[in-house]
Amino acid sequence: MNGRPLPCRQEELGSLFLFEKLDSDQIARLCREGRVEEFAPGPVYGEGDDATCFYVLLEGTVVLSRRIGDYDVEITRSSSRGVYAGAFQAYLGDRLRQVYNNSLRVTEPTRFFVLPAETFASIMREWFPMAVHLLEGLFFGAKSTQEAVGQRERLLALGSLSAGLTHELNNPATAAVRATSALRERVAGMRHKLGIIAARPYRRDSLETLIEVQERTAERVAKATALSPLEASDREDALSDWLEDHGIGDGWQLAPTFVQAGLDTDWLDQIAAAVDPDTLEGAVRWLNYTVETELLMNEIEESTHRVSSLVTAAKQYSQLDRAPHQVADVHELLDSTLLMVSAKIGPRITVVKDYDRGLPNIPAYPSELNQVWTNLIDNAVSAMNSTGTDGTLTVRTARDGDHLLVEFGDTGPGIPTEIGDRVFDPFFTTKPVGDGTGLGLDISWRIIVNKHNGDLRFHSVPGDTRFQVRLPLAAPDPPPPQEPS
C-alpha cells in the first residue's frame, strides 16, 4: 500500500535517534534516495509479503501484529519517533528470504520515512561494513546454533524413546522365549507320561473319562480368575492336604499350579472317581502337564499381545501412517506417549490418569501433540527425580469452555518465582549442563499456540506444579475474505 508523498526535510531526519550520528552528506543521500509518505488509518503492509521497504516513524501511531493460527495478535503499539519496521534485514541479501515478518498498520494519519530495501542494504554495507559483518554473524550463528541444538534435542528424544521401547519390548520377548522353552519340556514330559499310561492296564471307559476331564481342565484354565493372596494360600493348603491324603508325594509342588489354573479339590475328586487308586498319581501328574502347558501358552499369548500393543503404541505415537492434520482422540495420544516413556518414568513415580472420557475428538496435529506431551512429561519426571524421593505424575483432561484442557501435574520442588517468566524462552533450562537444551518448552509453546491456536501456561508451588494445555474443541472459522485495498 502506498501513502501520499510529502517533502523530505533533512533536519527532521537528523533529529531521529536512528540517524543522529550521520553527517550532513549521509542525511542528504537518505532524503535523495528515500521518500516521506503519509498513510491514512489502515494497513501499510502484510506479514509474508515481499519486503520492499524500510519504514521509520516520523509522526503518528503504528501497530505491529503477528499471525498466530487464524488470528492476528498485536505485539507492539508505539507512537515514538524513530521506531522502525519492514525490511530491516535487507542487508542479509539472498541468503534470507526477504519477506515482512509481521503486519504493520496505522491507527491515525501517520508519516513515515520510507527507504527502498535495495537502497537500505547498499547503504548499510557501504557505511557500516563492520557492523554488517557482526550482524550477519550474529543472525546466522544464532540460527545455526538453534538448528543444531534443535537437532540434538530431537536425537536425544529419539534415543530416549528408542531405549524405552527396546526395554519394554525386551520384557515380553524374554517372557515368550522362556515360556516356549518351558513348554517344550512340559510337552516332552506329557509324552513320557502318556507312554506310561499306555503301558498300564487302564480300562477303556477310565481313559475316556480321563480324556474328558483333561478337556474340561483346559477349559477351566482359560476361564480361571485371579485370587487374593489369602484365598490362593488357603486353596493351596487344601489341595496339598488332598494330594497327601491320596498318597501323592510332593503335593505341595503341584498345588500352586492347580490353584493358578483355578482348580480345587472337587476337580481332584472327579479324577479320583475316574481312575483306579493305583493309577491315580500317574493320572494327576499327567493332567498337571496339561495345566502347565495351558498356562505357558497363556503366557506366550500375553507376551505376544504385549509386543503387538507396544508396536501399536509406537505407531500411534509416531503417526507414521496417518495424515498430519486429523480429528484425534487426545486420550489415545496421551496413553501412547505414557507407554513410550514408561521406562523413563521408572518405578518411583506413580502415574495417575484422571480422564474425562466424555470429551470429543478434536482437530489437531497428533504427532506434534505427542511431542508436547513428551516434553512436559520429561520435565515433570526430571523435577521429581531431582528430589530423590517418590513422586506422582497426574495427567488430567477436562472441558474448559470451548477448549479441551490437558493438565500435567507433578509433586516436584516447583518453579521458582524469579524464573517463572523465562521458562518458555529458547535455550533456558534449569537442568544440569548436558541434561537439557532449553528448547522443549519453547517448541511446545509454538506447537500449541502457533499451530493449534491454543494456550500453554503453568501454575507452580513447591509440591504442586501443573502445566496446562488448552486446545480448541473445534477448528476455527476461516477468516472472512479481505476486500481489495
Side-chain angles (χ1 to χ4, degrees), residues 466-478:
R466 288 171 287 138
F467 276 83
Q468 297 176 331
V469 175
R470 287 175 174 82
L471 298 166
L473 289 171
D477 295 330

Side-chain angles (χ1 to χ4, degrees), residues 70-89:
D70 292 309
Y71 299 93
D72 287 320
V73 178
E74 181 178 320
I75 56 175
T76 302
R77 180 183 293 255
S78 178
S79 300
S80 300
R81 296 178 69 251
V83 297
Y84 56 89
F88 55 83
Q89 292 182 328

Side-chain angles (χ1 to χ4, degrees), residues 349 374-386 392-393 408-413 431 465 467:
I349 295 176
T374 302
N375 290 337
L376 296 180
I377 292 171
D378 179 70
N379 285 346
V381 170
S382 297
M384 288 185 283
N385 285 338
S386 68
T392 300
L393 171 66
F408 298 84
D410 69 73
T411 56
K431 296 178 182 177
T465 296
F467 276 83

Side-chain angles (χ1 to χ4, degrees), residues 222-275:
K223 299 176 181 178
T225 57
L227 301 176
S228 68
L230 183 58
E231 291 173 331
S233 177
D234 290 342
R235 185 172 291 187
E236 285 181 19
D237 291 340
L239 287 172
S240 297
D241 292 341
W242 190 98
L243 294 169
E244 184 178 349
D245 293 342
H246 288 76
I248 300 175
D250 298 330
W252 59 273
Q253 292 181 332
L254 302 177
T257 302
F258 292 158
V259 170
Q260 186 179 356
L263 307 178
D264 51 23
T265 54
D266 291 339
W267 174 79
L268 291 176
D269 288 336
Q270 295 178 36
I271 299 174
V275 300

Side-chain angles (χ1 to χ4, degrees), residues 118-378:
E118 298 83 359
T119 304
F120 174 70
S122 176
I123 286 176
M124 286 289 293
R125 286 192 290 267
E126 180 181 339
W127 291 354
F128 313 107
M130 182 176 179
V132 167
H133 286 305
L134 292 174
L135 290 171
E136 287 176 341
L138 179 64
F139 178 83
F140 290 110
K143 188 175 180 182
S144 298
T145 299
Q146 187 162 0
E147 289 176 354
V149 174
Q151 179 71 9
R152 180 175 179 272
E153 178 91 4
R154 289 188 290 272
L155 289 174
L156 287 173
L158 178 61
S160 177
L161 290 173
S162 298
L165 182 59
T166 302
H167 174 78
E168 292 296 321
L169 286 171
N170 183 64
N171 290 335
T174 302
V177 171
R178 183 178 62 249
T180 302
S181 177
L183 180 61
R184 184 176 288 109
E185 295 178 4
R186 299 306 185 274
V187 172
M190 183 179 289
R191 291 197 301 267
H192 176 69
K193 288 296 180 185
L194 185 59
I196 294 175
I197 290 175
R200 298 285 182 88
Y202 278 89
R203 299 192 311 272
R204 179 184 178 86
D205 58 339
S206 297
L207 285 175
E208 290 177 349
T209 303
L210 191 59
I211 291 173
E212 181 186 355
V213 172
Q214 183 187 35
E215 292 297 327
R216 286 192 282 113
T217 299
E219 292 177 3
R220 291 189 65 169
V221 173
K223 299 176 181 178
T225 57
L227 301 176
S228 68
L230 183 58
E231 291 173 331
S233 177
D234 290 342
R235 185 172 291 187
E236 285 181 19
D237 291 340
L239 287 172
S240 297
D241 292 341
W242 190 98
L243 294 169
E244 184 178 349
D245 293 342
H246 288 76
I248 300 175
D250 298 330
W252 59 273
Q253 292 181 332
L254 302 177
T257 302
F258 292 158
V259 170
Q260 186 179 356
L263 307 178
D264 51 23
T265 54
D266 291 339
W267 174 79
L268 291 176
D269 288 336
Q270 295 178 36
I271 299 174
V275 300
D276 297 330
D278 58 340
T279 58
L280 175 61
E281 181 172 0
V284 168
R285 294 191 183 278
W286 179 53
L287 291 174
N288 179 63
Y289 282 116
T290 299
V291 172
E292 288 185 328
T293 55
E294 289 294 325
L295 292 174
L296 288 169
M297 285 190 289
N298 286 346
E299 186 176 346
I300 293 172
E301 183 179 25
E302 290 173 3
S303 298
T304 52
H305 281 169
R306 175 67 174 166
V307 171
S308 177
S309 297
L310 286 167
V311 172
T312 301
K315 207 168 164 185
Q316 170 75 26
Y317 181 84
S318 62
Q319 299 285 313
L320 288 177
D321 60 343
R322 305 191 181 190
H325 189 270
Q326 58 182 283
V327 176
D329 184 344
V330 168
H331 300 114
E332 288 184 359
L333 304 182
L334 290 168
D335 285 340
S336 66
T337 302
L338 286 168
L339 183 58
M340 293 295 292
V341 301
S342 57
K344 182 160 191 153
I345 292 175
R348 297 183 61 180
I349 295 176
T350 302
V351 178
V352 176
K353 298 179 183 179
D354 182 10
Y355 292 169
D356 179 357
R357 293 288 185 178
L359 292 172
N361 296 349
I362 62 171
Y365 295 87
S367 63
E368 300 196 27
L369 286 183
N370 284 336
Q371 185 178 3
V372 174
W373 311 152
T374 302
N375 290 337
L376 296 180
I377 292 171
D378 179 70

